Amino acid sequence: MIYTVTLNPALDYVMKTGALRFDDINRSKEERLYYGGKGINVSVILTRLGAENKALGFIAGFTGNELERMLKSDGINCDFSRLNSGSTRINVKIKADAELDINAQGPDISESELEGLLEKLDEIKEGDFLVLAGSVKSALPFDIYERILSRLEGKGVNFVVDTMGKLLLNALIEECAKELENEGLSYRMAPLGVMIETPSAALISDLLAKEVEFFSIGTNDLTGYTMAVDRGNANVRYLYDAFRPAVLREIEMIIKNAKAAGITVGMCGEAAADERLIPKLVEWGLDEFSVNPSSILQTRRCICECE
């Protein structure tokens, strides 16, 4: 048996219209209602392929009733846990000259309701497959997938985790930790960080800071990509300089976003030993300077003079 879990399913309300206007009433030309959720989508495909499966997850309110009705009418075997309050979310998709998606948050889930779903998962037998798919509502524990994996550990259940970002990472770390424990090997959890060395990463560094424990600014690539120059090209090499205003603004933004999120930020590359830049880096709050051995004493002196 294959079980799928969709913690935050949805009804997708798709509306098609002409040009989208914000100064007048927009009238749709067509509306369609679909059920949605990654785990549910897996169950739909498995059903079409003739594979025995059951869709699990949470539903609530009249929208949850409709989602369940639609699934059953399509022959999908489901056993959802019903929440005491709220409604299964409706995501609005507007198809016009431009597309606009508005995804709802979904209902709140109490700890006792979550425990009810976990008890259902306890019934999964050795050799069965469990597919954990999709996003998780922010109100749920951030380690919910890890908790499910830990709860079923040692039961011979096969797992498939289809998600992204920290949810996926936490699930992978949990599995690696179990393998080391089973082999009797000691380990410690390494901090998770990210290199910021492209303008695109710098621009969303406030978002990245929420997902990691430290930043490392790679100034060599950051300077090259920001200034759009190849430092190996003699014709434009003069533009390759981390002291350019655009690069300085990016570095300051990265450091300030890291500080606002309460994570450490370091720097590697030639700029970390640049005497012109060090006073600004100290002023902005850079935590770590990674420099060549030959530059250690000079960099230390510059930092001390700033303090």
Side-chain angles (χ1 to χ4, degrees), residues 8-194:
N8 198 16
L11 289 175
D12 290 340
Y13 188 55
V14 181
M15 306 176 69
K16 294 184 179 180
T17 184
L20 191 61
R21 300 183 58 180
F22 294 93
D23 59 346
D24 199 357
I25 295 175
N26 292 278
R27 301 190 184 279
S28 67
K29 297 179 178 179
E30 181 184 346
E31 306 95 27
R32 294 287 180 89
L33 189 64
Y34 303 93
Y35 44 72
K38 281 191 173 181
I40 287 174
N41 292 340
V42 172
S43 279
V44 170
I45 297 301
L46 289 173
T47 300
R48 291 175 181 174
L49 293 173
E52 186 181 13
N53 73 93
K54 181 179 290 187
L56 306 175
F58 294 107
I59 58 173
F62 73 98
T63 50
N65 294 339
E66 178 60 14
L67 183 141
E68 186 175 46
R69 185 199 67 77
M70 292 172 65
L71 286 169
K72 289 183 176 179
S73 68
D74 282 350
I76 310 302
N77 181 19
C78 48
D79 182 18
F80 291 109
S81 299
R82 183 167 294 278
L83 301 175
N84 293 324
S85 61
S87 298
T88 294
R89 60 183 178 146
I90 298 177
N91 297 332
V92 178
K93 315 289 184 179
I94 300 175
K95 309 293 184 182
D97 52 338
E99 292 193 5
L100 178 64
D101 292 353
I102 305 176
N103 286 357
Q105 295 184 57
D108 290 330
I109 302 169
S110 69
E111 187 63 33
S112 61
E113 289 170 330
L114 178 59
E115 182 61 28
L117 175 63
L118 296 177
E119 289 175 359
K120 281 187 180 181
L121 298 180
D122 289 338
E123 300 174 7
I124 297 177
K125 298 180 176 57
E126 181 179 357
D128 288 341
F129 283 81
L130 176 62
V131 179
L132 305 173
S135 63
V136 174
K137 191 175 185 295
S138 59
L140 282 172
F142 72 93
D143 61 346
I144 180 59
Y145 282 169
E146 298 163 76
R147 288 174 59 177
I148 292 173
L149 294 175
S150 296
R151 189 170 182 123
L152 299 178
E153 181 183 3
K155 294 188 63 174
V157 176
N158 302 289
F159 298 103
V160 177
V161 179
D162 179 13
T163 187
M164 63 181 68
K166 207 163 188 177
L167 280 173
L168 177 59
L169 181 66
N170 288 343
L172 292 174
I173 290 175
E174 178 73 15
E175 283 301 295
C176 290
K178 288 177 185 175
E179 290 181 11
L180 292 172
E181 290 172 357
N182 292 337
E183 295 178 17
L185 300 175
S186 60
Y187 66 91
R188 65 180 181 85
M189 291 297 186
L192 172 67
V194 63

Side-chain angles (χ1 to χ4, degrees), residues 226-239:
T226 300
M227 301 306 301
V229 296
D230 176 5
R231 58 178 171 171
N233 186 329
N235 294 320
V236 294
R237 188 181 301 154
Y238 71 96
L239 293 170

Side-chain angles (χ1 to χ4, degrees), residues 195-196 215-219 222 251 254-255 265-269 286:
M195 285 286 296
I196 307 292
F215 279 166
S216 180
I217 306 173
T219 55
L222 184 62
I251 293 172
I254 295 166
I255 294 174
V265 54
M267 176 179 287
C268 60
L286 187 73

